[in-house]
Amino acid sequence: MADHEQKAVTADVSSGDMIFQPILEDGVFRFDCPPNDRDAAYPSLSFVNSKDRETPIMSHKAPLYTPTFECLLEKQIVKIELPSGTSFYGTGEVSGQLERTGNRVFAWNTDAWGYGPGTTSLYQSHPWVIAVLLNGEALGVLADTTQRCEIDLRKESRIQFVAPSSHPVITFGPFPSPTAVLIALSHAIGSVFMPPKWSLGYQQCRFSYDSDKRVLEIARTFREKGIPCDVIWMDIDYMDGFRCFTFDKDRFPNPKSLVDDLHQNGFKAIWMLDPGIKHEEGYFIYDSGSKSDVWTQKADGSPFVGEVWPGPCVFPDFTQSKVRSWWASLVKDFTSNGVDGIWNDMNEPAVFKAVTKTMPESNIHRGDDELGGCQNHSYYHNVYGMLMARSTYEGMKLANENKCPFVLTRAGLIGSQRYAATWTGDNLSNWEHLHMSISMVLQLGLSGQPLSGPDIGGFVGNATPQLFGRWMGVSVMFPFCRGHSEADTIDHEPWSFGEECEEVCRLALKRRYRFLPHIYTLFFKAHTIGTPVAMPTFFADPKDPNLRKLENSFLLGPILVYASTMPGQGLDKLDCTLPKGTWLRFDFDDSHPDLPALYLRGGSVIPLGLPHQHVGESKPSDDLTLLVALDEHGKAEGFLFEDDGDGYEFTKGGYLLTHYVAELQSSVVTVRVSKTEGLWKRPKRRMHVQLLLGEGAMLDTWGMDGEVLQIMMPSEQEVYKLVSTSEKYYKTCLENANRIPEIEQVSGQKGVELSRTPIELNNGYWILKVVPWIGGRIISMMHLPSGMQWLHSRIDIDGYEEYSGTEYRSAGCSEEYNVIERKLEHAGEEESIMLEGDIGGGLALQRKIYIPKNDPKVFRIDSSIVARKVGAGSGGFSRLVCLRVHPTFGLLHPTESFVSFTSIDGSKHEVWPESGEQFYEGNLLPNGEWIIIDKCLSLGLVNRFNVKEVFKCLIHWGTGTVNLELWSEDRPVSNQSPLRISHEYEVIEIPKL
């Protein structure tokens, strides 16, 4: 039997070079596995037009880099070897570092609440990599599949995709620059939809503003405090029992009146719609959908029912055109309430109480032929969110074809930018996530989605004043700018953290509104040409390797934004690494240690507007400012796009695109219009030209837009004096600024403080992160050789916890621990940390976490409950206690993962998720070790322990998680008889099963 199985595996293996055809345009190639995979591939759902992928073109170019393939067990493994020194970017919505070498992620849309830097699957899937070569040229690689796809960049200069067979790989380039690659990509997958201008203003959200009165109070406070804002968002609590397309009669009795009030005060209103429709006869949406047969089905043909916010729910099958039309008609009717935009959440689709966090892969979608026909959920999972966003977008267009729809989606596939903006999901309110938000926004932009941003201040947990102010300072320069926070946290509006933070937020948001003409112009370019909006700093000089890993700066067109993302390190303590060339710092007389530094690239002209309270206040006749930075040749250029800000008249010529140039000749700088496009006439307005000299110094002149304006350049000595004076003034402003207090935590408030920095142990095999202040928990267990993050952690819950009783989350799991010993790695010594937390009654829970120097592949934990002050009156013995080790491990492939062990009595066990919760004790106790096995990865996490110390073991399967618990005996302790459990973890390779 074994021989037969081995032969079957061998017969299912093929390998070699992929075969290519040029498609779309010069430099773009489609690669397939020979000989028949081209015909076997399903239609492209990422391309705007799937036929473009199928149609060869005439080209005299050949690819410089040819992928190799291996087909093994119905998996297609594709590798592309690139020159040494290549840097990797893209991979879509991913956490962690900007430059992706050393990382592996899985394109599988996942509800990833409270994700961390090592989380391998987030809400969207972009099986796409940009490789930047040493010479600055770039190559883009797309694995054009909707199915679960592993993107493995752990080996230097090698891209590897692993996904079910068969799908093509598309390469773009090498082209002269990363920007050229993104433009070519947009020709395939489409460019971002043209956003209405109001959607680029600041937006305020919360889960949830629980009544129309609270919404109006928030709106009124923005106006009273003079803080710019354009949009208020309504989360699910506006609904009647979380039923989509309904309104709570008590808390939101008249949504149309609410929206009218908001509109009168210059606000737009955006409302949430989830895919889960309550399974309830008499609910008009359920009844309508059932009558039209629109629900996703189980394998037996009956509607799938899964638990989400309303309780039992059914889910529209958006893969069918009739279902998309049904949903679009509902959206059209819904907008009659004054809905300005729609937020599609939970559309991975997320399902509660499911091990996989989503619907079963065996579910059936009766898709249109052009999408791939009738398929199970594993084929359509990653495209479900995009198809929902598309249906919502089309419904809003039906409601008003003269307005640009605005849709925000949580889930998506590469190509979703055609229909919706996105955000970076349920992030944490800490400094690590502030820092990470820059890279996450940039990676999405490098993957074809330029309209994104984080939840400002963090969604999960409580921000501190300095964290919130710093986050607002950098986020006002992101393409999408929205504050959002979770239920049971403190208020997170700009005025919620004291006067100092409020003023920083006000200054920051006024900056954004001054930049709106520039940002809107960048989106016109992104929509019409495919250029990015926010870009990594290295885009300024792709040949410079020193710029490729900068994570606290980025480009917004020719503006370089340099931010501090470290606590206690303001702008005045920040060293800025600038690209080569001329970069001139500027501000609006608003410099502050908690706001980013701004630089304009030499050779650039950018338009600026007035700092209005909302976009609706702006008029074409408003004063226009041009900010000018000359290059080393004394020249500069830029342009301004203008239309009505919300509609499609620009597609018919209803716009004005003005090209401005500036040139220095004979000590005179001349600024003029060099070219115009569009049918709009130039508004009659004043123009203010500000010529940057350096360090914030500038010369200026006023005139009328369209006229030739001139500025006389002073002597070099006078310029030097101006620059020197301005630099001194700038430093004085920073020194005298009313700083935000450095408060580590917000006391007496609900929610969890997450802003401190974890302690890290790192030996090259493992990176462990420990938070002493919340239960001494381990929140990250990253195994570097495999690239696996084994822990599922939310900072304040899960991860690796320990309790002092048999009750769940008993004393020990949330107390603040003290670090009583810390050893960094030295020759011949181990790297370790010793923690101790007071658990009451004279007891302490003590934990030593260490990585042995002589065995770096494992890490060990020695834990004990010890008596510290047990009184004589108790006979020297404590209360009854039990040491309960409670780690929560994340499962990348929940349905393909199980726990394996051999019991003391010799019996062998395989425990799968469907078994639920299982206790083992006595002779059934694992005989010193048990293993979590992931069949897809052929990896196992071994947990070894001392059988003499462990009296009971528990396996508990959660939603994409498993707990492997070790329990001591249950007894009192004394000074002479502590409770102890010593155990260790190691990752091993498992032979193919």
Side-chain angles (χ1 to χ4, degrees):
M1 181 66 182
D3 289 342
H4 171 73
E5 289 178 352
Q6 181 61 43
K7 287 178 182 177
V9 170
T10 304
D12 196 26
V13 175
S14 63
S15 62
D17 289 344
M18 301 184 84
I19 56 175
F20 76 89
Q21 283 186 331
I23 62 169
L24 201 66
E25 60 189 51
D26 268 355
V28 180
F29 300 95
R30 169 180 173 156
F31 290 89
D32 293 277
C33 302
N36 301 316
D37 278 18
R38 181 179 177 86
D39 296 330
Y42 289 108
S44 175
L45 299 186
S46 59
F47 273 52
V48 177
N49 184 352
S50 183
K51 292 182 180 178
D52 287 343
R53 199 190 70 178
E54 316 302 325
T55 307
I57 65 167
M58 292 295 296
S59 176
H60 299 294
K61 289 187 176 181
L64 290 181
Y65 303 101
T66 297
T68 61
F69 77 94
E70 180 182 8
C71 293
L72 175 64
L73 299 175
E74 299 183 345
K75 295 281 188 181
Q76 179 176 303
I77 304 169
V78 175
K79 300 177 183 178
I80 302 180
E81 300 286 348
L82 295 164
S84 178
T86 298
S87 303
F88 293 134
Y89 304 91
T91 66
E93 186 181 51
V94 288
S95 55
Q97 67 198 49
L98 175 65
E99 204 280 313
R100 302 303 295 170
T101 298
N103 286 270
R104 177 179 61 171
V105 295
F106 294 82
W108 184 253
N109 294 355
T110 302
D111 178 0
W113 183 99
Y115 59 86
T119 304
T120 54
S121 294
L122 297 185
Y123 309 89
Q124 302 205 8
S125 293
H126 299 76
W128 159 261
V129 178
I130 291 184
V132 181
L133 310 180
L134 269 178
N135 64 0
E137 293 183 350
L139 173 76
V141 188
L142 172 66
D144 198 14
T145 177
T146 63
Q147 301 193 70
R148 187 194 309 267
C149 181
E150 175 186 334
I151 309 167
D152 189 346
L153 304 176
R154 289 176 295 174
K155 184 176 178 181
E156 184 180 352
S157 302
R158 188 196 73 181
I159 301 170
Q160 176 174 292
F161 295 108
V162 182
S165 304
S166 297
H167 64 271
V169 170
I170 316 297
T171 64
F172 300 78
F175 291 131
S177 69
T179 298
V181 169
L182 290 172
I183 291 172
L185 175 68
S186 75
H187 298 163
I189 66 169
S191 61
V192 66
F193 71 100
M194 187 64 191
K197 196 172 183 179
W198 57 261
S199 69
L200 302 179
Y202 178 66
Q203 313 189 31
Q204 185 63 51
C205 186
R206 182 172 176 85
F207 176 32
S208 286
Y209 293 129
D210 59 3
S211 69
D212 55 3
K213 294 181 179 61
R214 179 61 174 154
V215 170
L216 292 174
E217 179 187 0
I218 293 294
R220 183 173 61 253
T221 306
F222 270 104
R223 296 295 179 251
E224 289 174 351
K225 289 182 173 290
I227 300 174
C229 184
D230 264 274
V231 186
I232 307 292
W233 291 63
M234 265 52 74
D235 210 313
I236 53 175
D237 287 294
Y238 79 83
M239 302 176 189
D240 177 14
F242 305 133
R243 297 171 182 86
C244 287
F245 302 102
T246 69
F247 299 90
D248 186 284
K249 294 179 180 178
D250 295 324
R251 293 179 290 111
F252 290 85
N254 193 336
K256 184 67 169 65
S257 176
L258 168 63
V259 172
D260 287 344
D261 286 345
L262 290 173
H263 286 176
Q264 288 175 14
N265 287 286
F267 288 94
K268 303 291 185 181
I270 294 180
W271 306 72
M272 177 181 282
L273 290 175
D274 289 348
I277 300 300
K278 188 173 178 65
H279 183 267
E280 177 183 68
E281 292 187 5
Y283 167 35
F284 72 102
I285 303 298
Y286 175 77
D287 292 343
S288 169
S290 298
K291 182 178 180 180
S292 299
D293 188 23
V294 304
W295 310 127
T296 299
Q297 296 180 343
K298 296 191 294 186
D300 63 8
S302 62
F304 167 73
V305 179
E307 190 93 1
V308 205
W309 293 111
C313 288
V314 288
F315 297 80
D317 182 1
F318 292 108
T319 68
Q320 301 179 64
S321 58
K322 74 166 188 177
V323 179
R324 295 193 298 275
S325 296
W326 171 79
W327 183 269
S329 67
L330 293 174
V331 169
K332 176 187 175 183
D333 294 342
F334 186 61
T335 59
S336 65
N337 294 288
V339 171
D340 298 300
I342 291 178
W343 176 11
N344 288 159
D345 194 24
M346 305 291 290
N347 55 342
E348 291 73 31
V351 177
F352 297 160
K353 301 180 182 179
V355 171
T356 61
K357 298 188 179 182
T358 190
M359 60 177 62
E361 294 183 31
S362 59
N363 276 4
I364 299 300
H365 295 275
R366 293 162 287 167
D368 302 333
D369 289 342
E370 61 267 26
L371 299 185
C374 186
Q375 301 279 351
N376 64 27
H377 184 67
S378 64
Y379 176 82
Y380 282 119
H381 174 81
N382 282 341
V383 79
Y384 188 92
M386 180 170 83
L387 292 176
M388 180 185 184
R390 171 183 167 182
S391 306
T392 303
Y393 179 89
E394 290 170 349
M396 293 199 73
K397 285 196 76 171
L398 283 175
N400 191 338
E401 61 182 16
N402 296 319
K403 296 291 184 182
C404 296
F406 183 80
V407 178
L408 183 78
T409 184
R410 190 168 81 176
L413 181 73
I414 188 168
S416 298
Q417 75 285 340
R418 303 193 295 266
Y419 313 110
T422 196
W423 84 107
T424 60
D426 296 339
N427 57 356
L428 301 181
S429 188
N430 64 25
W431 290 94
E432 182 177 49
H433 275 249
L434 162 59
H435 181 82
M436 203 160 59
S437 67
I438 298 176
S439 295
M440 293 185 74
V441 169
L442 297 178
Q443 301 289 19
L444 281 162
L446 295 180
S447 304
Q449 172 53 287
L451 187 46
S452 74
D455 285 343
I456 298 171
F459 179 73
V460 179
N462 292 328
T464 63
Q466 190 179 88
L467 174 64
F468 189 87
R470 199 81 65 78
W471 211 323
M472 181 67 79
V474 65
S475 295
V476 298
M477 304 303 287
F478 286 152
F480 177 62
C481 183
R482 184 185 73 156
H484 186 34
S485 54
E486 190 178 35
D488 295 325
T489 60
I490 62 172
D491 291 342
H492 278 67
E493 289 76 36
W495 54 83
S496 302
F497 297 92
E499 293 181 1
E500 299 90 351
C501 182
E502 178 182 325
E503 179 59 18
V504 167
C505 292
R506 185 181 291 106
L507 292 173
L509 288 167
K510 285 184 175 181
R511 275 188 176 185
R512 181 173 184 86
Y513 279 72
R514 295 213 65 179
F515 283 124
L516 278 183
H518 173 61
I519 296 172
Y520 192 56
T521 298
L522 290 178
F523 270 102
F524 173 72
K525 288 182 65 180
H527 174 69
T528 55
I529 303 173
T531 50
V533 175
M535 300 160 285
T537 302
F538 77 83
F539 268 50
D541 186 2
K543 296 179 182 179
D544 186 350
N546 297 317
L547 302 177
R548 294 193 179 182
K549 294 185 178 182
L550 291 181
E551 295 183 338
N552 64 335
S553 64
F554 62 95
L555 295 165
L556 189 67
I559 300 171
L560 178 63
V561 181
Y562 228 109
S564 173
T565 56
M566 299 291 290
Q569 183 194 58
L571 182 60
D572 50 336
K573 300 178 183 178
L574 189 65
D575 292 326
C576 299
T577 301
L578 300 178
K580 296 174 184 176
T582 302
W583 294 89
L584 302 178
R585 188 185 56 77
F586 69 97
D587 56 45
F588 304 108
D589 202 17
D590 61 356
S591 293
H592 191 282
D594 290 309
L595 292 178
L598 304 175
Y599 297 84
L600 185 60
R601 185 174 193 167
S604 304
V605 177
I606 61 167
L608 302 172
L610 298 176
H612 289 300
Q613 291 296 293
H614 59 91
V615 168
E617 280 188 343
S618 62
K619 301 177 181 61
S621 59
D622 285 344
D623 293 347
L624 173 68
T625 297
L626 293 184
L627 200 60
V628 179
L630 300 176
D631 62 16
E632 61 271 25
H633 303 295
K635 294 183 179 181
E637 62 180 356
F639 54 94
L640 167 65
F641 172 75
E642 299 170 275
D643 69 350
D644 59 12
D646 190 0
Y648 295 98
E649 286 301 311
F650 73 92
T651 64
K652 306 170 186 176
Y655 67 95
L656 176 63
L657 181 64
T658 305
H659 296 250
Y660 295 97
V661 296
E663 187 171 7
L664 171 64
Q665 286 184 332
S666 303
S667 299
V668 177
V669 176
T670 302
V671 180
R672 60 183 176 84
V673 173
S674 66
K675 179 183 175 183
T676 60
E677 299 176 36
L679 302 178
W680 268 29
K681 292 183 178 180
R682 183 168 308 282
K684 186 177 180 180
R685 61 189 171 200
R686 297 195 307 166
M687 188 165 74
H688 186 199
V689 175
Q690 295 179 320
L691 177 65
L692 299 182
L693 302 176
E695 297 302 332
M698 62 178 65
L699 303 173
D700 71 327
T701 188
W702 285 85
M704 296 300 294
D705 185 19
E707 296 178 348
V708 176
L709 276 70
Q710 293 185 327
I711 297 176
M712 290 293 298
M713 284 292 290
S715 67
E716 288 187 11
Q717 185 177 8
E718 289 174 318
V719 169
Y720 174 79
K721 288 181 180 179
L722 288 170
V723 171
S724 179
T725 301
S726 179
E727 185 176 14
K728 291 177 182 177
Y729 175 71
Y730 171 69
K731 291 179 179 179
T732 300
C733 287
L734 294 182
E735 291 171 0
N736 297 332
N738 196 9
R739 293 172 179 258
I740 301 175
E742 295 184 24
I743 301 173
E744 283 201 355
Q745 68 184 71
V746 183
S747 60
Q749 301 283 6
K750 47 190 179 177
V752 179
E753 189 273 306
L754 306 172
S755 63
R756 304 191 204 175
T757 302
I759 294 173
E760 183 175 292
L761 303 180
N762 183 348
N763 77 331
Y765 279 88
W766 291 97
I767 298 179
L768 309 179
K769 292 185 179 180
V770 183
V771 286
W773 65 91
I774 312 176
R777 73 185 64 249
I778 306 173
I779 61 166
S780 178
M781 185 190 291
M782 172 63 75
H783 183 250
L784 295 175
S786 66
M788 281 287 293
Q789 169 59 261
W790 286 95
L791 278 183
H792 173 81
S793 178
R794 306 179 181 180
I795 298 286
D796 61 316
I797 190 171
D798 294 338
Y800 178 95
E801 302 176 322
E802 290 179 354
Y803 311 146
S804 62
T806 57
E807 303 84 8
Y808 176 62
R809 292 182 66 76
S810 53
C813 75
S814 59
E815 287 77 7
E816 180 158 357
Y817 281 53
N818 295 315
V819 178
I820 58 176
E821 185 179 276
R822 171 76 193 274
K823 291 183 181 179
L824 297 175
E825 187 175 2
H826 298 291
E829 296 182 6
E830 65 192 18
E831 186 168 0
S832 66
I833 182 173
M834 179 80 81
L835 307 167
E836 185 171 296
D838 186 344
I839 55 174
L843 298 177
L845 210 163
Q846 193 176 88
R847 184 177 316 133
K848 181 180 180 181
I849 305 165
Y850 61 105
I851 303 173
K853 186 72 176 177
N854 61 354
D855 194 3
K857 294 183 179 180
V858 307
F859 77 89
R860 293 175 182 159
I861 303 176
D862 296 338
S863 297
S864 56
I865 296 178
V866 297
R868 286 285 182 247
K869 298 178 181 178
V870 178
S874 63
F877 286 91
S878 73
R879 68 182 186 273
L880 204 65
V881 289
C882 171
L883 177 55
R884 178 180 172 185
V885 174
H886 177 84
T888 303
F889 300 108
L891 303 174
L892 277 180
H893 307 99
T895 60
E896 298 296 319
S897 298
F898 62 96
V899 176
S900 174
F901 64 89
T902 301
S903 289
I904 292 174
D905 65 4
S907 58
K908 296 184 182 298
H909 300 262
E910 283 191 4
V911 187
W912 291 81
E914 52 268 24
S915 64
E917 186 172 276
Q918 299 285 336
F919 272 106
Y920 299 91
E921 50 191 324
N923 286 333
L924 290 179
L925 197 74
N927 192 18
E929 73 173 40
W930 48 1
I931 311 174
I932 304 172
I933 295 176
D934 187 318
K935 290 176 62 178
C936 293
L937 300 178
S938 298
L939 290 177
L941 178 67
V942 184
N943 178 209
R944 303 184 186 95
F945 55 89
N946 186 340
V947 175
K948 295 180 180 179
E949 297 172 338
V950 176
F951 280 67
K952 186 183 295 186
C953 289
L954 168 67
I955 300 175
H956 173 81
W957 299 94
T959 303
T961 63
V962 63
N963 303 107
L964 267 60
E965 295 195 10
L966 307 173
W967 295 35
S968 75
E969 62 181 321
D970 194 16
R971 65 169 172 81
V973 300
S974 68
N975 290 328
Q976 291 74 38
S977 61
L979 280 175
R980 289 194 177 92
I981 293 180
S982 299
H983 62 120
E984 68 181 28
Y985 295 96
E986 181 181 2
V987 175
I988 62 173
E989 292 187 9
I990 304 294
K992 290 284 185 181
L993 301 176

